[in-house]
Amino acid sequence: MEHGCTVEELASRPTLMTVTNVNSPRRVDAEILDNIMVMAGHGQCVVITPFTLMGAMAPVTLAGALAQQTAEGLGIIALCQLLRPGAPCVLGGFTSNVDMRSGSPAFGTPEYLHAVFASAQIGRRLRIPVRTSAVNASPTVDAQSTYESAFSLQAAVLSHSHLINHAAGWLEGGLSASLEKIVVDAELLRNWAEILKPVSFSDDDLAVDAIKAVAAGGHFFGSPHTLARYQTAFYRPLLSDWSSFESWTQAGAHDATARATAIWKKVLADYVPPPLDPAVSEAIAAYVATRKGALEGTSPA
């Protein structure tokens, strides 16, 4: 009723999405199955993601893990269609490898990228949308977390996957999150948004007249063509520091993680909550307290 329509009318315009996991191999927990059935029965989107870690919950070979992932995902999609034909579904891909020395999940690895590319191809063959992630297994915000996330995000984009989960803030294979990592990932996402913009090759962009106007061995800093465009010509980073080592040192030698800390603190300090009816705010707080108490097995004070 919050949407101003009946349950049946809501099914005609899916608004909600749930991301569910198969407890691989070949098991769906009762709570998750109940969630799937309720959402599909009401015509809302179900994202089915088998948790197929190669060598642990799936075969150690990529082909075997992909076969299992596809079978488990299609099994749940078939259930959704039995419950409500046409219920929207997304085939999730989360196949990756584990560290065979410790059993810990690994993400952003070559094996993970192979799985992302293959999962997207399988989805296109089946004409089903595909979900992937921008993940890493680093325990902290460092070079490892950045390059693993960058590889994962690159695979998500280049594979033409439809939905990217865990696109910002993920650490330690999903066991923790970080505000600094959110800022780092925001920089990665902003870069990709810029990369994916089409490049213009108009006569003005080809700049033949500007090239002719600059003498051999000269420069374009003072060119009218440059001066008319320099403020918007290039991507302006949120986090990157392009200064020299000397200038960077004199400014305090703040690395990317330290700069990310400063950014999120400023964002929170400058945040102004949108106006909200006090009665609505109280109702939300009461609902949260009730649900929290139910989940913890206690009654709200």
Side-chain angles (χ1 to χ4, degrees):
M1 297 303 294
E2 289 80 0
H3 292 275
C5 63
T6 66
V7 171
E8 285 302 316
E9 289 171 340
L10 180 64
S12 67
R13 52 170 190 173
T15 305
L16 305 175
M17 180 182 74
T18 184
V19 178
T20 64
N21 291 108
V22 176
N23 190 0
S24 304
R26 305 187 313 279
R27 176 174 179 168
V28 181
D29 295 332
E31 295 84 355
I32 292 178
L33 187 60
D34 181 62
N35 173 34
I36 291 170
M37 295 176 71
V38 169
M39 290 289 285
H42 288 85
Q44 303 305 296
C45 182
V46 178
V47 182
I48 304 97
T49 308
F51 198 51
T52 41
L53 294 178
M54 292 182 281
M57 286 89 83
V60 74
T61 55
L62 177 62
L66 288 169
Q68 180 181 319
Q69 172 187 277
T70 304
E72 291 177 350
L74 288 179
I76 300 302
I77 290 175
L79 171 64
C80 292
Q81 302 312 304
L82 288 172
L83 291 167
R84 190 181 191 102
C89 294
V90 176
L91 180 62
F94 209 66
T95 295
S96 192
N97 56 301
V98 298
D99 182 348
M100 297 306 292
R101 296 166 296 183
S102 66
S104 298
F107 296 103
T109 61
E111 293 80 10
Y112 176 81
L113 268 68
H114 286 157
V116 170
F117 289 126
S119 296
Q121 290 177 324
I122 291 169
R124 281 192 288 276
R125 177 64 180 268
L126 298 173
R127 302 177 68 85
I128 300 173
V130 172
R131 164 260 165 124
T132 185
S133 304
V135 286
N136 69 90
S138 176
T140 190
V141 184
D142 59 2
Q144 177 189 335
S145 70
T146 303
Y147 65 69
E148 288 179 351
S149 291
F151 285 141
S152 300
L153 183 59
Q154 181 183 38
V157 173
L158 296 184
S159 68
H160 292 195
S161 294
H162 301 85
L163 173 66
I164 304 176
N165 272 22
H166 314 310
W170 230 60
L171 280 176
E172 202 181 357
L175 295 179
S176 61
S178 161
L179 293 172
E180 284 82 5
K181 188 61 165 55
I182 288 176
V183 176
V184 172
D185 289 337
E187 183 74 284
L188 292 174
L189 292 166
R190 292 171 82 248
N191 269 272
W192 268 111
E194 192 71 19
I195 291 167
L196 294 173
K197 290 180 180 178
V199 177
S200 175
F201 287 94
S202 67
D203 289 343
D204 193 43
D205 289 300
L206 287 171
V208 173
D209 290 338
I211 295 171
K212 291 178 179 178
V214 175
H219 64 77
F220 287 81
F221 283 115
S223 166
H225 188 269
T226 301
L227 294 175
R229 296 164 179 78
Y230 77 94
Q231 290 183 316
T232 58
F234 306 126
Y235 168 77
R236 301 190 69 174
L238 169 72
L239 180 62
S240 299
D241 185 339
W242 294 339
S243 58
S244 67
F245 181 79
E246 290 77 10
S247 297
W248 174 76
T249 302
Q250 291 172 3
H254 301 297
D255 64 12
T257 303
R259 296 194 300 273
T261 300
I263 289 172
W264 74 253
K265 286 185 175 181
K266 184 178 187 304
V267 169
L268 289 184
D270 295 345
Y271 175 72
V272 178
L276 184 65
D277 187 315
V280 174
S281 179
E282 292 175 5
I284 292 173
Y287 175 78
V288 170
T290 300
R291 289 297 300 146
K292 185 176 180 181
L295 292 172
E296 294 176 349
T298 61
S299 299

